[in-house]
Amino acid sequence: MDLHLTNKVAIVTGSSRGLGLASARSLAREGCCVVLCARGEARLREAAIEVGAEAGDPGRVLAVAADVTTPAGVEHVVTRAAEMFGGVDVLVNNVGLARGGGLLDTSDAEWQAAVDQALFPAIRASRAVVPLMRQRGGGVIIMIASIWGRESGGRMTYNAVKAAEISLGKSLAQQLAADDIRVLSVAPGSILFPGGSWWKRQQDDPEGIAAMIGRELPFGRFGRAEEVGDVVAFLASPRASWISGASIPVDGCQGRSNI
């Protein structure tokens, strides 16, 4: 299927590894010019090589070292994208970190960090790209959320910020429909990739993780990052032109929510 993404310009935040990198690779494979960003320059350079290979042309990939948890970092990435490629058609919001435990042992600082490092980057990046998308007659904003934003199951702070991202996506979809800007969220389940949280847990406790897989994952395996990335590419494309405001689970039926 031709997704009609050739020469579209996509920014993917947090794209040096994991779901962000997989999304960038899928978008590049479908013909997008892709803007990568992350804080770690060494890994970002490696990611740019990988994505450039998918694009078939390194000149179609721009890697920007920036901290998008800060307003200046977001502005820098969006400005560089517009300078290099002339605008923005697709934004994939994929940053987030949440710490803490239960209600009584999670501090205000940990709650604030979760909001600052997950929700505010999505708000700021979305706000920054909308004027550019309006200039191009439309666009797509995708939040990488989680099934734990749809139901309880993960760390409490993570649940809260991912639920907020899903709700933000729904609200923005209503606001921006008149500009032909679609907004939606993708809700992955447990995804395994080298260096990721599940990979680390599997190294530390292979028997415990094997038991979790048997108990929680109906297909008997973790999801793969590229399985999420390919959904992102489809949703970013005109082939998904009537999907907006939705939260799409990509979880191998791990989630139990019916919403």
Side-chain angles (χ1 to χ4, degrees):
M1 179 185 290
D2 182 357
L3 296 185
H4 304 298
L5 284 170
T6 301
N7 295 326
K8 297 294 186 181
V9 180
I11 296 174
V12 184
T13 64
S15 41
S16 64
R17 60 194 286 271
L19 299 183
L21 177 56
S23 298
R25 290 175 63 124
S26 292
L27 289 163
R29 193 180 308 123
E30 295 298 330
C32 285
C33 299
V34 181
V35 180
L36 308 175
C37 65
R39 287 178 288 194
E41 293 191 36
R43 180 65 195 117
L44 185 60
R45 286 193 295 269
E46 295 173 1
I49 292 170
E50 294 181 37
V51 177
E54 295 284 0
D57 178 1
R60 297 176 67 81
V61 178
L62 172 65
V64 182
D67 181 358
V68 295
T69 67
T70 68
V74 170
E75 181 180 358
H76 181 53
V77 172
V78 175
T79 298
R80 292 286 290 116
E83 290 173 345
M84 180 73 175
F85 296 122
V88 178
D89 301 290
V90 177
L91 169 66
V92 180
N93 284 308
N94 175 60
V95 292
L97 180 67
R99 296 192 175 95
L103 178 64
L104 300 184
D105 55 356
T106 300
S107 67
D108 284 1
E110 287 169 320
W111 275 110
Q112 190 63 57
V115 173
D116 289 344
Q117 296 183 41
L119 184 59
F120 267 116
I123 293 170
R124 291 175 180 135
S126 300
R127 186 166 55 206
V129 301
V130 163
L132 297 173
M133 290 181 175
R134 283 174 171 162
Q135 291 173 10
R136 291 164 82 89
V140 183
I141 298 171
I142 299 174
M143 315 286 180
I144 303 296
S146 169
I147 58 171
W148 305 136
R150 296 164 55 91
E151 59 188 276
S152 179
R155 191 186 300 270
M156 177 180 61
T157 51
Y158 185 79
N159 284 12
V161 293
K162 291 303 177 181
E165 285 183 335
I166 291 170
S167 183
L168 174 66
K170 182 69 173 180
S171 179
L172 293 183
Q174 296 283 340
Q175 292 179 43
L176 299 174
D179 295 305
D180 202 21
I181 297 173
R182 296 187 293 111
V183 190
L184 53 148
S185 62
V186 172
S190 298
I191 308 296
L192 183 71
F193 55 87
S197 60
W198 284 113
W199 182 88
K200 292 174 182 176
R201 294 176 201 176
Q202 193 173 58
Q203 306 305 303
D204 293 339
D205 184 13
E207 292 184 1
I209 293 301
M212 186 281 289
I213 291 172
R215 183 177 64 250
E216 300 291 342
L217 305 181
F219 280 87
R221 65 169 177 87
F222 284 107
R224 297 185 289 267
E226 58 268 26
E227 292 174 312
V228 178
D230 288 346
V231 172
V232 168
F234 169 72
L235 293 173
S237 79
R239 295 289 193 177
S241 59
W242 206 233
I243 303 175
S244 193
S247 176
I248 311 297
V250 188
D251 66 348
C253 67
Q254 177 183 1
R256 273 60 168 179
S257 173
N258 61 358
I259 61 171

